[in-house]
Amino acid sequence: MTEVCKEERGPAERWSLRSGAVSVEILSLGCGIQSIRTPDHSGQSADIVLGYEDVEGYLSNPRYFGAVVGRVANRIAKGRFVVDEKEYKLSINNGPNALHGGLKGFDKAVWTTEAVDNGVKLSHSSPDGDEGYPGNLNASVTYRLEKNTLSVLYYAQTDRTTPINLTNHSYFNLAGQGTPDIYDHEVTISAESYLPVDDTMIPTGEVKPVDKTLFDLRKPVLLGSRLKELPGPGFDHNFCLCSPGDPPLERKCARVVHPGTGRVLEVSTTQPGVQFYTSNFLDGTLKGKGGAAYSKHSAFCLETQNWPDAVNQVL
């Protein structure tokens, strides 16, 4: 049995879903996950996602805590693409590239809401030319909480050919949000290959096997020791679950364990990739729930999505 209730929170609504000992709070601002509370092995409950206690914190939300990002999650090289022989130019907001839908993407919108069985459906309309993208687009995201499973169903319909790539950008720390780092987490990602990136985090075009590399996470890996070995600030890479265009079959893609609390996060998806990100660009300046300073490597993201810059790359 899932309990669903709604309350007004200033510029947005907050929906609370509860099933057994697990509770999830969803905001209409950014269609975001504000909190996920779940017990540890001794029954002590904690919030395992980073974010803000007040809705006002999500009005700017520069690191996309909990939000649904779009029209296109991840990066588009140089903010340009060609569709039907016409070039489109997007807002540049990440070095030389476009990121997560632009300056005012779906994470900044207040979505409309309606109750559904065991959850809530949120909807948003994006007009032709929004952030440079062609076509009128209607999108919806449905969150359902059943027992210990939170499902997220994305839907989009447009009147013109346009790229679309929606994902949720929740930051997880299974020890509880506000814990300084994720070095004691064990990570498994069921991917045979990954996408190397250039110095602006755009895929190079190579699909590289993970075998005999530091990106081989097919067996549980202690994150702290692997991050010490990994060149650069951390993981911010697409792990390939299948090829784009393959049938959209649901598959388990990732499992993260925190031995200290016994909490386990398992992720399944129909998408061809999952972006594994270790909060490399948090630097302690953002203060979140309980006044916690969110620092580098204080959380991880598992963003199920299409491969980055897919609109410009034939792989």
Side-chain angles (χ1 to χ4, degrees), residues 32 37 41 57 97 117 137 139 150 199 217 221 223 243 309:
R37 297 191 66 87
H41 49 51
N97 306 316
D117 289 345
L137 184 138
L150 177 66
D199 57 3
L217 306 177
V221 167
L223 199 47
S243 297
D309 198 36

Side-chain angles (χ1 to χ4, degrees), residues 251-268:
R251 57 184 65 80
K252 292 182 179 179
C253 69
R255 188 174 192 263
V256 185
V257 177
H258 182 249
T261 61
R263 293 191 181 97
V264 178
L265 175 67
E266 294 183 333
V267 181
S268 299

Side-chain angles (χ1 to χ4, degrees), residues 44-103:
Q44 295 297 311
S45 184
D47 187 354
I48 60 170
V49 295
L50 277 58
Y52 304 101
E53 292 171 341
D54 298 321
V55 170
E56 286 70 22
Y58 294 90
L59 292 173
S60 59
N61 198 9
R63 295 302 178 191
Y64 308 96
F65 292 130
V68 166
V69 290
R71 290 187 187 188
V72 175
N74 219 306
R75 297 167 179 87
I76 293 180
K78 297 179 173 58
R80 297 185 178 193
F81 62 89
V82 175
V83 169
D84 295 336
E85 301 182 348
K86 180 178 178 180
E87 184 180 59
Y88 293 89
K89 298 180 181 180
L90 310 174
S91 299
I92 302 299
N93 63 335
N94 184 251
N97 306 316
L99 175 71
H100 292 335
L103 298 174

Side-chain angles (χ1 to χ4, degrees), residues 183 213-231 235:
Y183 299 147
T213 76
L214 294 173
F215 293 86
D216 190 351
L217 306 177
R218 292 173 294 178
K219 294 181 180 179
V221 167
L222 184 64
L223 199 47
S225 57
R226 183 57 55 94
L227 285 170
K228 287 181 180 179
E229 298 178 86
L230 194 72
F235 288 101

Side-chain angles (χ1 to χ4, degrees), residues 240-305:
C240 307
L241 307 175
C242 65
S243 297
D246 283 355
L249 302 175
E250 185 172 338
R251 57 184 65 80
K252 292 182 179 179
C253 69
R255 188 174 192 263
V256 185
V257 177
H258 182 249
T261 61
R263 293 191 181 97
V264 178
L265 175 67
E266 294 183 333
V267 181
S268 299
T269 186
T270 59
Q271 292 286 72
V274 57
Q275 187 85 3
F276 181 43
Y277 172 56
T278 49
S279 60
N280 311 322
F281 300 111
L282 296 182
D283 59 7
T285 58
L286 294 177
K287 301 297 192 294
K289 303 168 190 173
Y294 294 146
S295 58
K296 180 180 177 181
H297 298 164
S298 61
F300 65 90
C301 303
L302 288 165
E303 305 160 62
T304 55
Q305 57 187 267

Side-chain angles (χ1 to χ4, degrees), residues 40-264:
D40 64 10
H41 49 51
S42 64
Q44 295 297 311
S45 184
D47 187 354
I48 60 170
V49 295
L50 277 58
Y52 304 101
E53 292 171 341
D54 298 321
V55 170
E56 286 70 22
Y58 294 90
L59 292 173
S60 59
N61 198 9
R63 295 302 178 191
Y64 308 96
F65 292 130
V68 166
V69 290
R71 290 187 187 188
V72 175
N74 219 306
R75 297 167 179 87
I76 293 180
K78 297 179 173 58
R80 297 185 178 193
F81 62 89
V82 175
V83 169
D84 295 336
E85 301 182 348
K86 180 178 178 180
E87 184 180 59
Y88 293 89
K89 298 180 181 180
L90 310 174
S91 299
I92 302 299
N93 63 335
N94 184 251
N97 306 316
L99 175 71
H100 292 335
L103 298 174
K104 193 175 181 182
F106 287 7
D107 60 294
K108 301 296 190 296
V110 177
W111 296 51
T112 60
T113 64
E114 62 178 298
V116 297
D117 289 345
N118 301 319
V120 57
K121 178 180 178 181
L122 300 96
S123 302
H124 175 60
S125 295
S126 174
D128 181 37
D130 188 15
E131 287 291 324
Y133 290 97
N136 297 292
L137 184 138
N138 295 317
S140 69
V141 178
T142 301
Y143 293 99
R144 284 191 171 91
L145 179 63
E146 299 172 277
K147 296 183 179 179
N148 293 327
T149 300
L150 177 66
S151 62
V152 189
L153 177 65
Y154 303 91
Y155 173 84
Q157 184 177 38
T158 182
D159 58 6
R160 293 177 64 187
T161 302
T162 188
I164 182 75
N165 186 27
L166 302 178
T167 194
N168 180 275
H169 206 301
S170 287
Y171 290 68
F172 293 91
N173 187 316
L174 301 186
Q177 74 82 33
T179 304
D181 61 64
I182 48 171
Y183 299 147
D184 56 355
H185 288 53
E186 296 175 353
V187 178
T188 308
I189 297 180
S190 303
E192 301 291 327
S193 56
Y194 77 102
L195 301 184
V197 294
D198 64 19
D199 57 3
T200 72
M201 305 308 295
I202 293 293
T204 62
E206 180 184 11
V207 180
K208 188 172 182 178
V210 300
D211 191 40
K212 298 179 181 178
T213 76
L214 294 173
F215 293 86
D216 190 351
L217 306 177
R218 292 173 294 178
K219 294 181 180 179
V221 167
L222 184 64
L223 199 47
S225 57
R226 183 57 55 94
L227 285 170
K228 287 181 180 179
E229 298 178 86
L230 194 72
F235 288 101
D236 191 3
H237 297 77
N238 177 79
F239 286 77
C240 307
L241 307 175
C242 65
S243 297
D246 283 355
L249 302 175
E250 185 172 338
R251 57 184 65 80
K252 292 182 179 179
C253 69
R255 188 174 192 263
V256 185
V257 177
H258 182 249
T261 61
R263 293 191 181 97
V264 178

Side-chain angles (χ1 to χ4, degrees), residues 18 21-25 35-39 44-49 263:
R18 178 179 291 276
V22 178
S23 65
V24 178
E25 293 183 335
S35 73
I36 300 176
R37 297 191 66 87
T38 184
Q44 295 297 311
S45 184
D47 187 354
I48 60 170
V49 295
R263 293 191 181 97

